[in-house]
Amino acid sequence: MCKIQPTLDVRNNMMHIDAPGMQRLSIPLDYYPEEEIDLKVCGDKGQGLLYKEDNIAGWFSEVLGAQCTLVRKCPTKLRRTHNRCIPKQMDGSQPEEVHCGGDSRIAFANEAQFLLVSEASVDDLNTKLAERQAGLQVDARRFRPNFIVKGGIPFQEDVWIRIHAQGQIFSVRILRPVCMD
């Protein structure tokens, strides 16, 4: 899966999908399949739209070596996020009161529209893996973040309540492991 590279071409209203040794697959962004299916993402039930066309299903099946296809989130059926904020102080204690605002709605994302990881936390993980002689090192991109923070101390991001970046303010909703199911 990590070798599949989607690219959005907003100007031409297309999603292009590339993989090594494969011809580029291009799908119009305004094309919504008709067949709706039930699915489960990170334990939450929802609905998706199934791309059954041979060129799409066949492309993904060939790349992944298993019978599969692409599913698109139903734009009218978003799932509600869990309105839980659990940032803690660096000493592990919980703040007395944290207000995170109202619920929001998301598509297939784990729990929020954006995922953040810090290089310091990933470096700390790699140090622990090396100490255990696990023979494995991970790159920050392995966690599929939208933001990678440089500097700081390991896991400092676990206590953040708000993040200011490029003139935007992001509320930290929940500390949650990356979904693997």
Side-chain angles (χ1 to χ4, degrees):
M1 285 284 288
C2 65
K3 292 185 178 184
I4 297 174
Q5 298 291 318
T7 306
L8 295 181
D9 179 354
V10 179
R11 186 178 325 176
N12 293 309
N13 199 37
M14 297 293 285
M15 176 173 60
H16 302 294
I17 308 169
D18 296 293
M22 295 292 293
Q23 184 175 352
R24 172 177 270 184
L25 175 64
S26 296
I27 303 170
L29 291 174
D30 58 0
Y31 169 60
Y32 293 89
E34 292 183 19
E35 184 174 342
E36 189 173 301
I37 61 166
D38 292 326
L39 47 85
K40 189 166 87 170
V41 177
C42 297
D44 291 336
K45 293 179 181 178
Q47 291 77 35
L49 301 175
L50 182 66
Y51 287 92
K52 292 180 11 178
E53 295 81 358
D54 289 340
N55 65 318
I56 297 173
W59 191 94
F60 279 96
S61 296
E62 185 174 340
V63 169
L64 298 173
Q67 187 70 26
C68 60
T69 191
L70 181 65
V71 175
R72 181 176 191 163
K73 185 65 182 137
C74 233
T76 59
K77 297 183 179 177
L78 301 179
R79 61 188 181 103
R80 187 177 298 276
T81 64
H82 303 287
N83 190 24
R84 295 174 285 166
C85 288
I86 58 169
K88 56 186 178 293
Q89 305 301 318
M90 286 304 288
D91 65 4
S93 65
Q94 291 289 127
E96 295 238 348
E97 183 176 323
V98 177
H99 176 70
C100 292
D103 285 345
S104 60
R105 296 187 180 269
I106 57 174
F108 282 152
N110 289 0
E111 190 60 36
Q113 290 86 347
F114 302 102
L115 299 176
L116 176 142
V117 67
S118 77
E119 285 184 343
S121 297
V122 174
D123 291 344
D124 184 75
L125 172 63
N126 282 325
T127 298
K128 290 175 180 169
L129 288 170
E131 289 169 358
R132 293 182 183 176
Q133 299 177 343
L136 173 69
Q137 294 286 287
V138 295
D139 184 284
R141 294 173 294 177
R142 181 75 168 187
F143 297 97
R144 303 183 321 264
N146 302 92
F147 302 103
I148 300 175
V149 177
K150 295 178 184 255
I153 59 175
F155 308 104
Q156 183 178 23
E157 67 273 19
D158 292 354
V159 302
W160 294 345
I161 296 172
R162 286 184 190 79
I163 300 162
H164 298 257
Q166 298 292 318
Q168 300 296 314
I169 300 173
F170 298 88
S171 294
V172 178
R173 303 291 260 173
I174 184 170
L175 170 66
R176 185 169 180 170
V178 174
C179 173
M180 300 305 268
D181 65 330

